[in-house]
Amino acid sequence: MKISPFANLLLLGAILTPQVFGQGESRPVLASETETRVQHDQRMRWWREARFGMFIHWGLYAVPAGEYKGQRSDRIGEWIMDWANIPRTDYEKFAAEFNPVKFNAREWVQIAKDAGMKYIVITSKHHDGFSMYGSKVSAYDIVDSTPFHRDPIKELAAEAKRQGLKFCFYYSILDWHYPAAYVDAVGKDPTAGNRVTRMKPGGKEEYVRYMKEQLRELITSYDPAVLWFDGEWQDWWTEEDGQDLYRFVRSLKPNIIINNRVGKGRQGMQGMSKTDRAYSGDFGTPEQQIPANGLSGVDWESCMTMNTTWGYKSYDQQWKSSEVIIRNLIDIASKGGNYLLNVGPTASGLIPAPSVERLAAVGKWMKVNGDSIYGTTASPFATQLDYGRATSKPGRVYLHIFKWPADGKLTVPSWGASVKRAYFLADKRRALHFENASDGITLQVGEHSLDPIATVVVLETTVGAVRRGRPM
Ligand code: FHN
């Protein structure tokens, strides 16, 4: 079943003792009855400052690469078992063909690091149920069932640590392969993707025990900084199940960060006021979109593909331009969010060249302008700039200019601070002339941009930047 992506409003499910909130605003108890706002902010700190991460969808689905018995589809590659209606036993045969001999953990981490990414989230197990790490609770994994016989996750975790990136896991609650699960396609076109996976009687309890054992080995053996759950929309999975799993994971690693798809935070907001229910998880997960005004008052991360698929498809060449990707990063940061940008490696273990090219272009921009993204909070302005975006830090506002003014002048709306100095982030020596006025400032930026995708101007201000949109 394809879930229609829509903005996720996440109520902070983390424990905040009643005195931290105003009266009547206490949240249900989740992971630990003692996490205060200060402790929560401390736990989220690196994640909030990081702003930019790499999503990796890698699994058996890279073997068919979007084609099965001559059938192709415009649907996402990692769902091929579903949309091509491949029986479990036939799908399992892909394991014997999966031998990613070109996989090189150092290269993958270097590509992420050079792009300016601060964390990596990789699929430990997607909906197909195949474990991309050496699992002790399932032989349906890359070490036991493929000719590769290596644990690429172990190599990637070690390399991420060596190069200073946070290593994180994606884990799917939905599992098409688990014996107790079955696809309820009775009377439905099984290739239409509207199938529902159900659990046989007693199967859910057995599966939750299995899932917890896998999560235990993932946390104790690879020490992930984030657990990025997915596949939570099944009707046999409840918000209460999510809160139980949230507590379980946090009991194994108290400072781990967990997304809202551990429970029903992604679906439950329709028709409900945001105070009706608190949802488990530490951040919202809008998918393939950037919420128009961000998600105020919560942490959130937009996850997006570079073409149209998460898992590799040999014929998907609908790549976003580097300009779109860089401006997405800026737009998301200006609204107080993180950007989780996906790559879908091939069955031979390579990140597709178009992805590598775009990530290098992002890295080139970030090398010069990263200060305007890392550790920033949302724009201090009440309305969105028509010529670009803005981010802020205490005592600074960063203007990202997409559209260069023909007359070399920009108007910056007032926001409760006055400007002391203005200069290009890429050329700090060159002071820019500006005039403070009651309704804002007029800034002279000259005839030519410094970067056609986004030129950054720094405004040094008299007071700490106003923080909007983030619980910081
Ligand atoms: O069904 C998955 C999909 O394959 C992919 O993993 C995305 C990434 O966020 N999540 C689910 C769809 O929302």
Side-chain angles (χ1 to χ4, degrees):
M1 177 184 93
K2 277 188 78 178
I3 197 80
S4 61
F6 45 78
N8 304 281
L9 281 184
L10 174 75
L11 292 177
L12 275 187
I15 298 313
L16 298 157
T17 47
Q19 64 267 20
V20 171
F21 278 96
Q23 286 311 316
E25 276 195 88
S26 63
R27 299 290 193 270
V29 167
L30 278 181
S32 64
E33 284 65 15
T34 58
E35 185 174 65
T36 63
R37 170 57 64 95
V38 169
Q39 289 166 330
H40 181 78
D41 289 346
Q42 199 164 4
R43 180 161 63 93
M44 297 301 293
R45 185 181 181 85
W46 76 261
W47 186 89
R48 290 169 177 166
E49 292 181 351
R51 290 309 201 150
F52 190 29
M54 176 183 273
F55 212 173
I56 304 177
H57 276 70
W58 197 34
L60 288 189
Y61 36 81
V63 174
E67 183 162 345
Y68 184 68
K69 293 184 178 174
Q71 182 190 351
R72 289 185 167 190
S73 164
D74 60 1
R75 304 221 20 228
I76 44 185
E78 69 284 2
W79 271 67
I80 191 166
M81 183 175 166
D82 178 77
W83 54 256
N85 196 25
I86 306 173
R88 240 173 260 200
T89 48
D90 290 350
Y91 188 88
E92 287 169 353
K93 291 171 184 163
F94 291 135
E97 301 172 55
F98 193 46
N99 191 11
V101 292
K102 292 178 181 170
F103 168 73
N104 181 313
R106 187 191 51 72
E107 282 175 11
W108 283 22
V109 176
Q110 195 68 56
I111 289 167
K113 185 173 185 177
D114 291 350
M117 293 164 153
K118 297 294 185 183
Y119 58 104
I120 293 173
V121 181
I122 186 165
T123 46
S124 60
K125 183 197 77 164
H126 204 266
H127 311 334
D128 62 3
F130 186 77
S131 298
M132 285 297 289
Y133 69 98
S135 172
K136 293 182 176 56
V137 295
S138 165
Y140 191 48
D141 71 9
I142 191 164
V143 174
D144 300 308
S145 297
T146 76
F148 193 53
H149 293 309
R150 277 164 50 187
D151 183 341
I153 299 290
K154 190 172 181 181
E155 298 171 31
L156 204 60
E159 190 58 36
K161 189 178 173 92
R162 195 181 70 79
Q163 295 196 41
L165 274 70
K166 295 285 188 180
F167 180 76
C168 314
F169 276 132
Y170 165 111
Y171 187 87
S172 175
I173 294 163
L174 172 60
D175 188 320
W176 294 322
H177 184 269
Y178 192 75
Y182 67 95
V183 175
D184 175 9
V186 176
K188 298 188 182 75
D189 166 7
T191 62
N194 59 358
R195 306 189 299 170
V196 175
T197 303
R198 300 199 189 288
M199 281 290 176
K200 294 169 186 163
K204 173 179 170 179
E205 293 69 22
E206 178 196 307
Y207 175 64
V208 169
R209 283 193 295 275
Y210 167 80
M211 208 168 28
K212 285 184 173 178
E213 279 317 299
Q214 284 211 312
L215 291 166
R216 185 189 302 279
E217 60 186 5
L218 286 169
I219 290 167
T220 52
S221 306
Y222 304 92
D223 191 29
V226 174
L227 254 181
W228 210 99
F229 285 98
D230 201 12
E232 82 293 353
W233 58 83
Q234 306 308 304
D235 54 13
W236 50 266
W237 187 256
T238 67
E239 172 59 21
E240 289 65 31
D241 293 326
Q243 293 185 13
D244 171 60
L245 201 57
Y246 181 92
R247 282 192 184 93
F248 171 75
V249 168
R250 290 279 314 281
S251 71
L252 296 174
K253 184 176 181 183
N255 69 343
I256 199 167
I257 293 172
I258 302 168
N259 74 346
N260 70 336
R261 299 188 188 183
V262 66
K264 294 299 193 180
R266 179 160 59 145
Q267 288 96 340
M269 296 310 292
Q270 283 157 323
M272 298 176 79
S273 80
K274 71 176 193 174
T275 53
D276 287 359
R277 289 188 60 182
Y279 288 90
S280 41
D282 299 309
F283 62 90
T285 53
E287 177 172 319
Q288 300 287 40
Q289 58 166 306
I290 301 168
N293 300 307
L295 298 182
S296 68
V298 292
D299 290 295
W300 58 276
E301 172 195 73
S302 272
C303 57
M304 300 174 99
T305 55
M306 266 194 249
N307 48 8
T308 69
T309 179
W310 303 93
Y312 179 66
K313 278 170 71 176
S314 61
Y315 51 89
D316 182 336
Q317 301 304 330
Q318 300 173 66
W319 299 99
K320 296 179 179 77
S321 67
S322 306
E323 176 178 299
V324 164
I325 292 168
I326 292 168
R327 288 185 178 179
N328 279 349
L329 173 60
I330 295 166
D331 186 23
I332 290 166
S334 77
K335 292 164 179 166
N338 282 19
Y339 189 26
L340 189 62
L341 182 60
N342 184 74
V343 297
T346 66
S348 63
L350 294 176
I351 295 175
S355 295
V356 176
E357 287 155 22
R358 283 152 180 79
L359 289 172
V362 178
K364 185 166 174 269
W365 188 88
M366 284 295 273
K367 197 170 175 66
V368 174
N369 302 290
D371 278 358
S372 71
I373 302 292
Y374 300 128
T376 61
T377 49
S379 165
F381 304 120
T383 55
Q384 192 162 276
L385 301 174
D386 56 11
Y387 50 77
R389 297 292 184 269
T391 55
S392 56
K393 281 179 183 171
R396 293 209 166 155
V397 169
Y398 298 92
L399 302 178
H400 301 81
I401 305 167
F402 298 167
K403 284 180 250 166
W404 202 257
D407 62 0
K409 287 180 195 166
L410 283 181
T411 302
V412 182
S414 64
W415 76 97
S418 60
V419 176
K420 288 187 306 186
R421 246 183 105 227
Y423 52 88
F424 289 122
L425 184 54
D427 182 1
K428 297 184 174 72
R429 294 157 308 167
R430 187 175 150 194
L432 298 178
H433 179 72
F434 61 91
E435 284 158 25
N436 273 303
S438 58
D439 59 349
I441 71 166
T442 305
L443 186 63
Q444 309 268 356
V445 290
E447 282 181 57
H448 305 292
S449 73
L450 275 64
D451 185 304
I453 293 178
T455 297
V456 180
V457 169
V458 184
L459 304 178
E460 286 188 355
T461 66
T462 51
V463 292
V466 175
R467 291 181 177 174
R468 281 185 327 110
R470 290 277 295 232
M472 286 184 87

